[in-house]
């Protein structure tokens, strides 16, 4: 009869230690149907191989064990012998996978792997702005070496940025040797009187090319008009170039509303023109007011006029609570509206000690 001997498989899962794989044999021995007893070919662990294709063995015949490609032997003995009772002698012969050297990540890149034993795989990637020069994968071979050397991660370069006619570029950082790299940026400008059309910002992209280059075109504006109640710094009746400016001012008792300077814009039009607004007479005879952050008697206001958009504050009285509160009012193009609650002092009250004025009474 056939008899089966099971030899157990051992395994240690530790990256820093041997992975002990079973080389224990499942041997089937017995009669071969012939008169003489012997052994049948042993059933081996998948990692172990025999040096012969023979299927039946006589007592006393030895077999030499070896490891398949990519595996290395551990323990022993390496040879088993067919015994007279039809069994094979015992062995602890085991084969473990060979291990490749631990890989280092490429500069400016990363690698991913689960193990470094035979048939393990490494995957390489590069950081943004770098391209892989070499193979992106490597496999641990039977001779314990990686199938390909580690690749390099090379920076993406763009060369110098293209310059538009009549323009220039100012790089964000110093550029040397005629080379620029991914992420390098700059700002385009046009030489006067040319105007820039397109994106003024430039950047070396991940594809190794620069973003679209803008154009520099001639732009002019027609002669500007003067403003009512005012004057201008340049009355030449000519076309003005892009970015040229003209300044405005107002006649006495008028204030400029808007920017004092207009500029010839990219679309061939002037920026918004200012206007001259009338000042406001302060028709108060007897009171203390707030003006430019100070409390003053109205008689101390040298010219009883404030300019457009200037503000004064007058004081109203809360007779119920016996307290006062300031109310601001603003000059708008010659009109200064006083609040209804405001009451001028009598001549006697005004000339009396100023500490009794509403502005000096406890504030509400």
């Amino acid at each position: 009869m056939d008899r089966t001997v099971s030899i157990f498989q051992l395994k240690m899962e530790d990256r820093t230690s041997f992975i002990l794989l079973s080389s224990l044999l499942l041997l089937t021995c017995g009669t071969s149907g012939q008169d003489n007893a012997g052994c049948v070919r042993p059933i081996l662990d998948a990692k172990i191989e025999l040096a012969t294709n023979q299927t039946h063995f006589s007592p006393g015949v030895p077999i030499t064990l070896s490891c398949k490609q990519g595996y290395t032997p551990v323990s022993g003995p390496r040879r088993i012998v067919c015994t007279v009772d039809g069994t094979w002698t015992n062995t602890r012969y085991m084969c473990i996978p060979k291990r490749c050297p631990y890989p280092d990540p490429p500069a400016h890149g990363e690698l991913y792997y689960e193990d470094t034993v035979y048939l393990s795989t490494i995957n390489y990637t590069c950081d943004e702005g770098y391209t892989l020069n070499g193979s992106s994968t490597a496999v641990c071979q039977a001779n314990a070496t990686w199938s390909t050397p580690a690749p390099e991660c090379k920076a993406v370069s763009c060369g110098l940025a293209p310059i538009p006619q009549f323009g220039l570029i100012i790089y964000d950082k110093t550029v040397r040797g005629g080379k620029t790299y991914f992420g390098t940026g700059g700002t385009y400008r046009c030489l006067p009187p040319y105007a820039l059309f397109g994106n003024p910002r430039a950047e070396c992209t991940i594809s190794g090319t620069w973003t679209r280059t803008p154009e520099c075109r001639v732009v002019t504006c027609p002669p500007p008009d003067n403003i009512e109640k005012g004057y201008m710094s340049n009355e030449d009746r000519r076309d003005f170039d892009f970015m040229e400016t003209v300044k405005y001012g107002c006649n006495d008792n008028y204030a400029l509303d808007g920017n004092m300077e207009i500029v010839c814009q990219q679309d061939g039009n002037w920026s918004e023109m200012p206007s001259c607004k009338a000042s406001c007479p302060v028709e108060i005879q007897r009171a203390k007011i707030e003006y430019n952050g100070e409390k003053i008697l109205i008689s101390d206001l040298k010219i009883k006029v404030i300019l457009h958009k200037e503000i004064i504050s007058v004081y109203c009285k809360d007779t119920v609570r016996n307290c006062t509160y300031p109310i601001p009012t603003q000059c708008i193009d010659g009109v200064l509206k006083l609040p209804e609650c405001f009451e001028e002092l009598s001549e006697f009250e005004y000339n009396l000690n100023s500490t009794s004025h509403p502005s000096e009474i406890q504030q509400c």
Side-chain angles (χ1 to χ4, degrees), residues 117-132:
V117 296
Y118 175 54
L119 296 181
S120 296
T121 301
I122 301 174
N123 292 299
Y124 292 96
T125 61
C126 289
D127 298 337
E128 186 180 28
Y130 293 84
T131 56
L132 200 71

Side-chain angles (χ1 to χ4, degrees), residues 190-236:
C190 292
L191 304 175
Y194 294 89
L196 189 140
F197 289 82
N199 190 347
R201 288 293 300 168
E203 186 175 354
C204 173
T205 67
I206 193 70
S207 64
T209 59
W210 283 92
T211 49
R212 188 172 181 178
T213 307
E215 294 181 72
C216 293
R217 304 177 196 163
V218 172
V219 171
T220 59
C221 294
D225 295 325
N226 203 348
I227 55 175
E228 189 178 357
K229 307 296 183 183
Y231 52 89
M232 55 196 299
S233 62
N234 191 331
E235 296 185 357
D236 293 344

Side-chain angles (χ1 to χ4, degrees), residues 257-329:
D257 188 25
N259 292 325
M260 68 177 297
E261 186 176 78
I262 62 172
V263 59
C264 178
Q265 301 177 119
Q266 182 177 336
D267 60 2
N269 295 313
W270 291 97
S271 58
E272 187 175 358
M273 296 178 64
S275 59
C276 292
K277 303 294 185 182
S279 57
C280 298
V282 183
E283 297 176 345
I284 299 175
Q285 302 300 319
R286 296 176 297 276
K288 181 175 276 191
I289 64 171
E290 280 188 21
Y291 179 62
N292 290 336
E294 295 183 4
K295 290 181 182 179
I296 61 170
L297 292 172
I298 195 67
S299 57
D300 293 334
L301 192 63
K302 294 180 181 179
I303 302 175
K304 286 191 178 181
V305 171
I306 62 173
L307 297 176
H308 172 69
K309 286 193 174 179
E310 284 194 312
I311 296 174
I312 64 170
S313 293
V314 296
Y315 285 85
C316 294
K317 188 172 183 179
D318 186 330
T319 55
V320 176
R321 296 188 292 167
N322 194 29
C323 58
T324 60
Y325 50 93
I327 300 291
T329 180

